[in-house]
Amino acid sequence: MAELKEACGVFGIYDLDGGNVVPAVYYGLTALQHRGQESCGLAVSNTKGEAGNIQFHKDLGLVSEVLRRETLEKMSGDLGIGHVRYSTTGASVAENAQPLVLSYIKGTLALAHNGNLINTKELKWELIQNGAVFHTTTDSEVIAFHIARERVHSDSVEEAVLKTARKLKGAYGLVIMSPRKLIGVRDPYGLKPLCIGKRDHTYVLASESCALNSVGAEFVRDVEPGEMVIISREGIRSNRELAGEKTAHCVFEYIYFARLDSVLDGVGIYDARIRGGKSLARSYPVEADLVTGVPDSGIPAAKGYSEESGIPFGLAFYKNSYIGRTFIKPTQKERESSVHMKLSVLESAVKGKRIVLVDDSIVRGTTIANLIHMLKKAGAREVHVRISSPPFLHPCYFGTDVPSNDQLIASIHSTEEICRMIGADSLGYMKLEYLEGMAGGLPLCRACFDGNYPRRSDKSESELLKFADLKFC
């Protein structure tokens, strides 16, 4: 029940036997729906047909709302990409939906992007000076325009993508489609996930392995940080020119963003969240009668807390799965009221009991305060809150919708003050030193907690933060 949102999910597929991939793109995007519920779309190409003929459809809404049967039946191709979006840059309008499709002097190009760049301003200004006209307010369009410009002076589309990627600073998982090639690129830090799957003679690229399962593809491996993979009629090739020595995987993939059945960079998401809950139990033991989690993201960590503490695990909330996308509500008051619409307390499960309530984060504090009030109104004697992430102290510039410091409750209040403000009987946050253990020992980006933003040795933090006034996508 976090108040955070992720930027996007991307999906790409190439059937070398020439089969129609449109249904697979639909199923892949449906599996990634948790990564973006604002808009979606797909683009497909028939590699044996007329060169440059890319069909596409995109709009605001869920996958099932935008990609309807009557629309998909009119589309066909053996190569396709798709995208689901939650905006952290650019307005929630149909123009900003992806994939972006460009027609230019060398043909056509479609691009889907997960992540945020930190040098959008300078890249966009370079294009504007050369006469570019933008139709969206996303940094994804900036990437696509740079690829199109580089393609004019390159021998292949992958060379143009590589030249563009050298300029990009920030986080990105890209899938790019030319009429006869599928390309995936992952940022050098590995901030955004991207993996490869295979089904017979069909290759798949996706933000998460759960999307591979949805189309019957077997997981092959993760795209490595700084790697570009090129899929064509000749098979799959790799270029690791962008790879660096340092990696920094986004910690919130393991705490909240990724789906429970996904495996990212060799780490099972379910297992990571169980480990997080066990760490909380060791750090903040308490006498209680029931451990419960805030649906859905807090439940695995709550189970881990229960296993480590020996306190029984149980459900305290009923979640109404048919309530719409409450995070799009335009006012804070409407967001708060939507909590009561989405969740109701199971009174018989909590009445007279001391409750340990586990959630993944506290951003502004309003959601957790409402839940505590609901539990106590239903008869809970005590509510002890445990959070499977450290306190948010800094904004994120890489694709997590962490607000500015003045909206982060932990940046202006102590843990004791927050505990009183939300009405909890005690409050404990995940300790920083336990994060990498939770994620299987992976090096993590945890800048939203400690302010240490990943950067190359030739780039100072001040250079990074000079873009902090921008909202990225």
Side-chain angles (χ1 to χ4, degrees), residues 274-305:
I274 291 287
R275 286 194 292 268
K278 290 184 175 183
S279 297
L280 278 174
R282 291 192 294 269
S283 301
Y284 306 102
V286 66
E287 291 187 8
D289 306 302
L290 179 73
V291 180
T292 193
V294 179
D296 291 309
S297 53
I299 289 177
K303 189 173 185 300
Y305 192 104

mmCIF file of all heavy atoms in Angstrom, residues 274-305:
data_model
loop_
_atom_site.group_PDB
_atom_site.id
_atom_site.type_symbol
_atom_site.label_atom_id
_atom_site.label_comp_id
_atom_site.label_asym_id
_atom_site.label_seq_id
_atom_site.Cartn_x
_atom_site.Cartn_y
_atom_site.Cartn_z
ATOM 1 N N ILE A 274 10.856 -11.622 2.268
ATOM 2 C CA ILE A 274 10.846 -12.442 3.483
ATOM 3 C C ILE A 274 12.071 -12.091 4.339
ATOM 4 O O ILE A 274 11.969 -11.909 5.565
ATOM 5 C CB ILE A 274 10.849 -13.942 3.144
ATOM 6 C CG1 ILE A 274 9.510 -14.350 2.499
ATOM 7 C CG2 ILE A 274 11.148 -14.783 4.386
ATOM 8 C CD1 ILE A 274 8.340 -14.401 3.454
ATOM 9 N N ARG A 275 13.244 -11.997 3.700
ATOM 10 C CA ARG A 275 14.459 -11.646 4.437
ATOM 11 C C ARG A 275 14.341 -10.267 5.072
ATOM 12 O O ARG A 275 14.800 -10.037 6.202
ATOM 13 C CB ARG A 275 15.676 -11.692 3.509
ATOM 14 C CG ARG A 275 16.125 -13.084 3.142
ATOM 15 C CD ARG A 275 17.513 -13.065 2.511
ATOM 16 N NE ARG A 275 17.507 -12.422 1.205
ATOM 17 C CZ ARG A 275 17.346 -13.062 0.045
ATOM 18 N NH1 ARG A 275 17.141 -14.382 0.046
ATOM 19 N NH2 ARG A 275 17.366 -12.407 -1.094
ATOM 20 N N GLY A 276 13.719 -9.329 4.351
ATOM 21 C CA GLY A 276 13.520 -8.005 4.918
ATOM 22 C C GLY A 276 12.676 -8.038 6.177
ATOM 23 O O GLY A 276 12.986 -7.363 7.169
ATOM 24 N N GLY A 277 11.620 -8.832 6.155
ATOM 25 C CA GLY A 277 10.766 -8.954 7.330
ATOM 26 C C GLY A 277 11.485 -9.586 8.499
ATOM 27 O O GLY A 277 11.308 -9.181 9.664
ATOM 28 N N LYS A 278 12.340 -10.573 8.231
ATOM 29 C CA LYS A 278 13.106 -11.205 9.302
ATOM 30 C C LYS A 278 14.082 -10.221 9.931
ATOM 31 O O LYS A 278 14.282 -10.222 11.160
ATOM 32 C CB LYS A 278 13.846 -12.424 8.753
ATOM 33 C CG LYS A 278 12.916 -13.583 8.398
ATOM 34 C CD LYS A 278 13.696 -14.813 7.949
ATOM 35 C CE LYS A 278 12.754 -15.989 7.713
ATOM 36 N NZ LYS A 278 13.482 -17.224 7.334
ATOM 37 N N SER A 279 14.680 -9.364 9.097
ATOM 38 C CA SER A 279 15.584 -8.341 9.628
ATOM 39 C C SER A 279 14.842 -7.377 10.547
ATOM 40 O O SER A 279 15.365 -6.966 11.592
ATOM 41 C CB SER A 279 16.235 -7.564 8.478
ATOM 42 O OG SER A 279 17.033 -8.407 7.684
ATOM 43 N N LEU A 280 13.631 -7.012 10.177
ATOM 44 C CA LEU A 280 12.822 -6.132 11.022
ATOM 45 C C LEU A 280 12.533 -6.765 12.373
ATOM 46 O O LEU A 280 12.571 -6.109 13.420
ATOM 47 C CB LEU A 280 11.502 -5.797 10.323
ATOM 48 C CG LEU A 280 11.502 -4.681 9.294
ATOM 49 C CD1 LEU A 280 10.136 -4.601 8.622
ATOM 50 C CD2 LEU A 280 11.844 -3.351 9.933
ATOM 51 N N ALA A 281 12.241 -8.051 12.367
ATOM 52 C CA ALA A 281 11.936 -8.742 13.614
ATOM 53 C C ALA A 281 13.143 -8.785 14.541
ATOM 54 O O ALA A 281 13.009 -8.647 15.768
ATOM 55 C CB ALA A 281 11.441 -10.154 13.318
ATOM 56 N N ARG A 282 14.326 -8.982 13.961
ATOM 57 C CA ARG A 282 15.542 -8.992 14.786
ATOM 58 C C ARG A 282 15.852 -7.603 15.330
ATOM 59 O O ARG A 282 16.329 -7.462 16.461
ATOM 60 C CB ARG A 282 16.725 -9.512 13.960
ATOM 61 C CG ARG A 282 16.622 -10.991 13.616
ATOM 62 C CD ARG A 282 17.945 -11.505 13.070
ATOM 63 N NE ARG A 282 18.278 -10.881 11.783
ATOM 64 C CZ ARG A 282 17.939 -11.381 10.601
ATOM 65 N NH1 ARG A 282 17.230 -12.500 10.543
ATOM 66 N NH2 ARG A 282 18.288 -10.778 9.492
ATOM 67 N N SER A 283 15.571 -6.582 14.528
ATOM 68 C CA SER A 283 15.900 -5.213 14.935
ATOM 69 C C SER A 283 14.892 -4.636 15.917
ATOM 70 O O SER A 283 15.268 -3.874 16.817
ATOM 71 C CB SER A 283 15.970 -4.298 13.703
ATOM 72 O OG SER A 283 16.935 -4.747 12.786
ATOM 73 N N TYR A 284 13.625 -4.973 15.737
ATOM 74 C CA TYR A 284 12.561 -4.345 16.530
ATOM 75 C C TYR A 284 11.580 -5.392 17.053
ATOM 76 O O TYR A 284 10.446 -5.484 16.601
ATOM 77 C CB TYR A 284 11.812 -3.291 15.697
ATOM 78 C CG TYR A 284 12.712 -2.256 15.081
ATOM 79 C CD1 TYR A 284 13.047 -2.327 13.730
ATOM 80 C CD2 TYR A 284 13.242 -1.218 15.845
ATOM 81 C CE1 TYR A 284 13.882 -1.382 13.148
ATOM 82 C CE2 TYR A 284 14.073 -0.274 15.275
ATOM 83 C CZ TYR A 284 14.395 -0.371 13.932
ATOM 84 O OH TYR A 284 15.221 0.571 13.367
ATOM 85 N N PRO A 285 12.014 -6.207 18.011
ATOM 86 C CA PRO A 285 11.087 -7.185 18.597
ATOM 87 C C PRO A 285 10.037 -6.484 19.453
ATOM 88 O O PRO A 285 10.272 -5.392 19.972
ATOM 89 C CB PRO A 285 12.002 -8.061 19.455
ATOM 90 C CG PRO A 285 13.154 -7.172 19.808
ATOM 91 C CD PRO A 285 13.353 -6.259 18.625
ATOM 92 N N VAL A 286 8.875 -7.109 19.582
ATOM 93 C CA VAL A 286 7.808 -6.544 20.397
ATOM 94 C C VAL A 286 6.876 -7.684 20.808
ATOM 95 O O VAL A 286 6.767 -8.691 20.098
ATOM 96 C CB VAL A 286 7.026 -5.457 19.617
ATOM 97 C CG1 VAL A 286 6.260 -6.062 18.442
ATOM 98 C CG2 VAL A 286 6.103 -4.675 20.525
ATOM 99 N N GLU A 287 6.247 -7.549 21.966
ATOM 100 C CA GLU A 287 5.248 -8.531 22.380
ATOM 101 C C GLU A 287 3.932 -8.209 21.679
ATOM 102 O O GLU A 287 3.402 -7.108 21.822
ATOM 103 C CB GLU A 287 5.069 -8.499 23.896
ATOM 104 C CG GLU A 287 6.280 -9.024 24.667
ATOM 105 C CD GLU A 287 5.997 -9.130 26.157
ATOM 106 O OE1 GLU A 287 4.829 -8.936 26.562
ATOM 107 O OE2 GLU A 287 6.946 -9.410 26.913
ATOM 108 N N ALA A 288 3.429 -9.166 20.936
ATOM 109 C CA ALA A 288 2.207 -8.938 20.167
ATOM 110 C C ALA A 288 1.491 -10.264 19.941
ATOM 111 O O ALA A 288 2.037 -11.341 20.195
ATOM 112 C CB ALA A 288 2.521 -8.259 18.836
ATOM 113 N N ASP A 289 0.257 -10.174 19.448
ATOM 114 C CA ASP A 289 -0.579 -11.352 19.223
ATOM 115 C C ASP A 289 -0.706 -11.729 17.758
ATOM 116 O O ASP A 289 -1.032 -12.869 17.433
ATOM 117 C CB ASP A 289 -1.993 -11.094 19.781
ATOM 118 C CG ASP A 289 -1.963 -10.672 21.231
ATOM 119 O OD1 ASP A 289 -1.432 -11.436 22.058
ATOM 120 O OD2 ASP A 289 -2.464 -9.561 21.532
ATOM 121 N N LEU A 290 -0.465 -10.758 16.857
ATOM 122 C CA LEU A 290 -0.691 -10.999 15.433
ATOM 123 C C LEU A 290 0.239 -10.116 14.613
ATOM 124 O O LEU A 290 0.407 -8.933 14.901
ATOM 125 C CB LEU A 290 -2.145 -10.675 15.067
ATOM 126 C CG LEU A 290 -2.548 -10.856 13.597
ATOM 127 C CD1 LEU A 290 -2.653 -12.339 13.255
ATOM 128 C CD2 LEU A 290 -3.882 -10.153 13.307
ATOM 129 N N VAL A 291 0.844 -10.702 13.586
ATOM 130 C CA VAL A 291 1.607 -9.948 12.584
ATOM 131 C C VAL A 291 0.790 -9.916 11.306
ATOM 132 O O VAL A 291 0.321 -10.962 10.831
ATOM 133 C CB VAL A 291 2.977 -10.585 12.295
ATOM 134 C CG1 VAL A 291 3.729 -9.767 11.241
ATOM 135 C CG2 VAL A 291 3.804 -10.693 13.562
ATOM 136 N N THR A 292 0.617 -8.741 10.744
ATOM 137 C CA THR A 292 -0.136 -8.614 9.499
ATOM 138 C C THR A 292 0.559 -7.614 8.588
ATOM 139 O O THR A 292 1.361 -6.788 9.041
ATOM 140 C CB THR A 292 -1.586 -8.168 9.764
ATOM 141 O OG1 THR A 292 -2.364 -8.353 8.571
ATOM 142 C CG2 THR A 292 -1.661 -6.711 10.194
ATOM 143 N N GLY A 293 0.269 -7.705 7.309
ATOM 144 C CA GLY A 293 0.879 -6.802 6.339
ATOM 145 C C GLY A 293 -0.176 -5.961 5.643
ATOM 146 O O GLY A 293 -1.332 -6.345 5.534
ATOM 147 N N VAL A 294 0.250 -4.799 5.160
ATOM 148 C CA VAL A 294 -0.627 -3.947 4.363
ATOM 149 C C VAL A 294 -0.663 -4.518 2.953
ATOM 150 O O VAL A 294 0.379 -4.654 2.306
ATOM 151 C CB VAL A 294 -0.114 -2.497 4.340
ATOM 152 C CG1 VAL A 294 -1.031 -1.626 3.476
ATOM 153 C CG2 VAL A 294 -0.015 -1.946 5.749
ATOM 154 N N PRO A 295 -1.834 -4.909 2.452
ATOM 155 C CA PRO A 295 -1.918 -5.512 1.110
ATOM 156 C C PRO A 295 -1.488 -4.515 0.029
ATOM 157 O O PRO A 295 -1.819 -3.347 0.126
ATOM 158 C CB PRO A 295 -3.400 -5.850 0.965
ATOM 159 C CG PRO A 295 -3.942 -5.871 2.360
ATOM 160 C CD PRO A 295 -3.149 -4.863 3.117
ATOM 161 N N ASP A 296 -0.795 -4.962 -1.007
ATOM 162 C CA ASP A 296 -0.271 -6.325 -1.103
ATOM 163 C C ASP A 296 1.217 -6.372 -0.723
ATOM 164 O O ASP A 296 1.762 -7.406 -0.343
ATOM 165 C CB ASP A 296 -0.390 -6.824 -2.556
ATOM 166 C CG ASP A 296 -1.827 -7.043 -2.964
ATOM 167 O OD1 ASP A 296 -2.555 -7.729 -2.227
ATOM 168 O OD2 ASP A 296 -2.217 -6.532 -4.028
ATOM 169 N N SER A 297 1.864 -5.224 -0.809
ATOM 170 C CA SER A 297 3.321 -5.192 -0.740
ATOM 171 C C SER A 297 3.873 -5.491 0.635
ATOM 172 O O SER A 297 5.011 -5.930 0.767
ATOM 173 C CB SER A 297 3.822 -3.817 -1.202
ATOM 174 O OG SER A 297 3.168 -2.793 -0.473
ATOM 175 N N GLY A 298 3.096 -5.274 1.702
ATOM 176 C CA GLY A 298 3.600 -5.512 3.044
ATOM 177 C C GLY A 298 3.463 -6.950 3.511
ATOM 178 O O GLY A 298 4.041 -7.331 4.537
ATOM 179 N N ILE A 299 2.728 -7.779 2.779
ATOM 180 C CA ILE A 299 2.410 -9.126 3.272
ATOM 181 C C ILE A 299 3.625 -10.056 3.319
ATOM 182 O O ILE A 299 3.837 -10.746 4.326
ATOM 183 C CB ILE A 299 1.257 -9.713 2.448
ATOM 184 C CG1 ILE A 299 -0.042 -8.960 2.800
ATOM 185 C CG2 ILE A 299 1.102 -11.205 2.705
ATOM 186 C CD1 ILE A 299 -1.255 -9.382 2.008
ATOM 187 N N PRO A 300 4.481 -10.124 2.280
ATOM 188 C CA PRO A 300 5.645 -11.023 2.396
ATOM 189 C C PRO A 300 6.582 -10.627 3.537
ATOM 190 O O PRO A 300 7.085 -11.504 4.257
ATOM 191 C CB PRO A 300 6.334 -10.881 1.035
ATOM 192 C CG PRO A 300 5.271 -10.399 0.112
ATOM 193 C CD PRO A 300 4.401 -9.516 0.938
ATOM 194 N N ALA A 301 6.836 -9.336 3.716
ATOM 195 C CA ALA A 301 7.691 -8.900 4.817
ATOM 196 C C ALA A 301 7.049 -9.234 6.161
ATOM 197 O O ALA A 301 7.735 -9.589 7.126
ATOM 198 C CB ALA A 301 7.970 -7.406 4.710
ATOM 199 N N ALA A 302 5.728 -9.124 6.241
ATOM 200 C CA ALA A 302 5.025 -9.494 7.472
ATOM 201 C C ALA A 302 5.193 -10.981 7.756
ATOM 202 O O ALA A 302 5.383 -11.398 8.908
ATOM 203 C CB ALA A 302 3.544 -9.133 7.352
ATOM 204 N N LYS A 303 5.147 -11.800 6.708
ATOM 205 C CA LYS A 303 5.350 -13.240 6.890
ATOM 206 C C LYS A 303 6.758 -13.512 7.406
ATOM 207 O O LYS A 303 6.962 -14.366 8.284
ATOM 208 C CB LYS A 303 5.109 -13.975 5.575
ATOM 209 C CG LYS A 303 5.074 -15.492 5.709
ATOM 210 C CD LYS A 303 4.654 -16.138 4.416
ATOM 211 C CE LYS A 303 4.494 -17.648 4.580
ATOM 212 N NZ LYS A 303 5.748 -18.309 5.005
ATOM 213 N N GLY A 304 7.752 -12.789 6.867
ATOM 214 C CA GLY A 304 9.115 -12.943 7.352
ATOM 215 C C GLY A 304 9.258 -12.521 8.805
ATOM 216 O O GLY A 304 9.954 -13.179 9.594
ATOM 217 N N TYR A 305 8.587 -11.430 9.180
ATOM 218 C CA TYR A 305 8.602 -10.977 10.576
ATOM 219 C C TYR A 305 8.003 -12.050 11.480
ATOM 220 O O TYR A 305 8.533 -12.359 12.561
ATOM 221 C CB TYR A 305 7.822 -9.662 10.704
ATOM 222 C CG TYR A 305 8.007 -8.964 12.032
ATOM 223 C CD1 TYR A 305 8.823 -7.845 12.132
ATOM 224 C CD2 TYR A 305 7.365 -9.412 13.180
ATOM 225 C CE1 TYR A 305 9.015 -7.194 13.352
ATOM 226 C CE2 TYR A 305 7.533 -8.767 14.401
ATOM 227 C CZ TYR A 305 8.362 -7.664 14.479
ATOM 228 O OH TYR A 305 8.543 -7.024 15.684
#
